[in-house]
Structures are given as C-alpha cells and as structure tokens.
Amino acid sequence: MSYQIIDGKAISEQIKEECRKKVAAYKEKGIEITLAVIQVGADPASSVYVRNKKRACEFCGMTSLSYELPEETTHEELLTLIRKLNADDKVNGILVQLPLPKHIDEDLVIQAIDPKKDVDGFHPQSVGALCIGQPGFVSCTPAGIIELLKRSNIEIAGKECVVIGRSNIVGKPMALLLLRENGTVTVCHSRTKDLKEVTKRADILIVAIGKPKFITGDYVKEGAVVIDVGIHRNEDNKLCGDVDFESVAEKTSAITPVPGGVGPMTIAMLMHNCVGSVELI
Ligand code: NAD
C-alpha cells in the first residue's frame, strides 16, 4: 500500500511563517511580544530545547528573555521570579523548562504561572478550559498533532481515535483535543489489558508510550493513520520513535516520521501560543 509521509518539518515552518507575519502586524500597531524562558540547572537536553525555543522566537520577531538559574535554586527563589514575571506587563508568556530538579515541586511551579501567560498550557486552569471547551492555552505537542492532521487533510470527525499514553502533557490533552474535533476516542495506558485489540480498531492511532519502536505492524489496522510522538536515541545515536516505522508504514495510509514528524511541531505551536497570548492581555 502506498502511504503519505506527514511532513512535520514543512508544516511547522508554515506555522512559524504565519506567526512571523502576525508578529509583524502586531509590531505595526506598537505591540511587542515577549516570552520569558526559565531553565533551572544545565540538563543538556533541556539546554537544546531552550536554545531552539529562543531561536524560534527570534525567527518570528518576538523577544525572548532568558533566565538560566543554577541547579541549587530554591523553590521560593523560582516562585519569586515567576511572580515578578506575572506582574510584568511587558511579558506575554512564561515558560519553565521541565523537568525541574527534584527538590522543586513541579506542580506548584506550574500553578504559580498566571494562566494568561501559560503558553505551555500546563496550568490546571488551561487544562480545565480545554476540558469544557473554553478558550485557553493548549499543550503544544498535542495541539501540533491536530495541526498535522488538519493540514494533511485527514478528517478526525467520526473516526476511531486511539491514544496510547495518558501523561498530562501528551496523552490526556491529546484525547481531549480529538474529542473536541468529534473523534470517537479511546485512551490506552500501562494497565490496558489487550493493547493490540484496541489499537487495531484505530483509524487514527496516536502513540505516546515512551518506549522505542514498541508499536509494530501487528498493532495497526490496514489503512490507519499513525502519529508517533516518541523521541529516543538508538544504539547508533540515531533518533527513533515509539513506532517501528519499517514494519508499520506499509500498513498505514499516512504516518509521521521521526525525526521530522511531531517533534518540530511542538516549538511551532509554542510560537502560535505566544502570538495568541496577546489577545489574553
Ligand atoms: P510518559 O512516560 O509520561 O507516558 C507514557 C505513557 O505510556 C503512560 O501514560 C503509560 O501509562 C503508557 N504506557 C506505558 N507502557 C504502556 C504499555 N505497555 N501499554 C500501554 N500504555 C503504556 O511519556 P510522555 O511524556 O507522554 O511522552 C511519551 C513519548 O513522547 C516519549 O517518548 C517522549 O520522549 C515523547 N515526547 C515527545 C514530544 C515531542 O515534542 N515530540 C513531547 C513530549 C513527549
């Protein structure tokens, strides 16, 4: 069967370009957009993500303020900075790069961010708004997956959608977004009894299981659309996903590659959220 490779790189560039134009239009009206990026400690993977986020801001014409705090920063010091940024009218978005060092309570930090500046969409108020269909920020990775589907002309309404994974940043908001798009949604997790039986029903299968190449061809229905959220490095230091692309692709009608699928969409949607933050001031 021939299948479509969903080009996340191209779609993410389209979105960033749209953001760039909107930022320029805001600038003409005298409105500047500023994102504050906070990193605690020097985890190398986090540093790469933070650098890429700042680069994307630059591309889109937004200002990024960088707060690189030492590993031993206390919970209270971090909260004091967040409160200062909450009160600063020049700051539209606040992003705290996760994971945080173990001595800091991640939930309390997320809750300290003003929901109007919660461009990551992790605040309980943002998640609640998504749940009951009110406006608010949506977690970037699942929001990016909806854009990938829509911009690849893949219909969601009425489809059997199966999400593997129930994390707060991917699985749960993904399920809510698919529901908002009128999909029939099933969520699988580590306690699901017969995973294969469920995934084989899926017209659209979203895989966020966090295990390299876990999903093989026998989990997938002929003609399904498969979205691979996973990012791992294999023995040869090459990137791979949660899906075994070689055995799955032939069975699908469309599939995202790793790299170049979901990955680039996360930052593009962060830019989209930053632009959207202007309307919430
Ligand atoms: P997580 O570890 O928090 O969640 C994994 C989920 O998989 C859990 O809810 C668990 O219940 C479920 N699970 C585990 N074993 C299972 C099994 N045998 N059967 C069914 N379900 C099972 O992971 P996460 O943060 O949601 O991330 C998932 C993957 O996506 C990871 O590989 C991560 O690196 C990647 N990720 C990518 C992006 C991106 O921008 N592309 C963003 C976030 C996460």
Side-chain angles (χ1 to χ4, degrees):
M1 193 171 168
S2 73
Y3 57 87
Q4 172 194 357
I5 292 197
I6 299 174
D7 189 346
K9 194 163 181 293
I11 296 175
S12 70
E13 272 158 20
Q14 243 175 40
I15 292 172
K16 281 191 282 183
E17 188 55 40
E18 289 163 15
C19 289
R20 205 173 62 84
K21 289 197 179 117
K22 284 185 192 158
V23 172
Y26 277 126
K27 261 195 191 144
E28 277 187 11
K29 292 187 207 159
I31 301 167
E32 297 273 345
I33 303 179
T34 300
L35 171 67
V37 182
I38 306 173
Q39 184 183 358
V40 185
D43 171 59
S46 292
S47 300
V48 172
Y49 287 129
V50 164
R51 198 180 326 129
N52 289 341
K53 288 169 187 178
K54 287 192 232 159
R55 273 197 198 135
C57 282
E58 210 174 295
F59 172 84
C60 295
M62 295 189 262
T63 305
S64 66
L65 304 175
S66 192
Y67 297 87
E68 284 158 27
L69 309 180
E71 179 86 20
E72 56 278 9
T73 301
T74 65
H75 190 79
E76 204 39 52
E77 283 168 338
L78 181 55
L79 290 190
T80 303
L81 172 60
I82 292 173
R83 287 187 203 113
K84 193 184 103 192
L85 296 169
N86 280 343
D88 186 341
D89 290 342
K90 288 196 201 75
V91 173
N92 304 87
I94 303 171
L95 183 150
V96 180
Q97 185 64 39
L98 304 179
L100 288 166
K102 297 228 164 4
H103 65 277
I104 296 178
D105 184 331
E106 234 165 62
D107 288 339
L108 288 182
V109 168
I110 291 169
Q111 283 168 37
I113 297 171
D114 181 342
K116 289 198 185 76
K117 302 189 179 189
D118 174 38
V119 284
D120 255 340
F122 296 161
H123 192 284
Q125 189 169 313
S126 308
V127 180
L130 170 62
C131 195
I132 58 172
Q134 287 185 358
F137 292 110
V138 178
S139 176
C140 300
T141 303
I145 292 171
I146 296 292
E147 284 302 314
L148 281 181
L149 293 169
K150 286 189 171 169
R151 291 175 191 237
S152 305
N153 298 316
I154 294 165
E155 175 90 30
I156 304 170
K159 295 286 172 63
E160 284 281 349
C161 304
V162 174
V163 180
I164 315 182
R166 57 173 163 186
S167 70
N168 288 342
I169 60 168
V170 186
K172 279 186 200 139
M174 188 72 249
L176 289 168
L177 282 172
L178 290 165
L179 192 59
R180 188 165 88 178
E181 299 295 330
N182 300 311
T184 302
V185 184
T186 307
V187 181
C188 300
H189 46 79
S190 52
R191 304 287 288 273
T192 296
K193 282 226 169 77
D194 192 344
L195 185 62
K196 234 177 244 179
E197 277 315 301
V198 185
T199 58
K200 272 174 18 197
R201 293 206 303 260
D203 300 314
I204 299 175
L205 178 62
I206 315 274
V207 188
I209 193 171
K211 297 186 167 140
K213 297 192 175 187
F214 186 93
I215 295 300
T216 48
D218 47 340
Y219 283 82
V220 177
K221 181 171 81 174
E222 203 71 44
V225 173
V226 174
I227 306 290
D228 187 354
V229 188
I231 311 179
H232 312 275
R233 284 206 181 268
N234 67 12
E235 321 73 65
D236 315 324
N237 206 31
K238 279 210 175 120
L239 288 176
C240 74
D242 290 349
V243 172
D244 178 31
F245 189 91
E246 283 72 32
S247 80
V248 170
E250 281 296 327
K251 291 189 87 175
T252 69
S253 56
I255 184 166
T256 56
V258 177
V262 174
M265 293 301 291
T266 302
I267 290 185
M269 295 314 286
L270 174 67
M271 297 300 107
H272 167 90
N273 281 354
C274 290
V275 173
S277 69
V278 174
E279 275 133 49
L280 291 172
I281 296 172

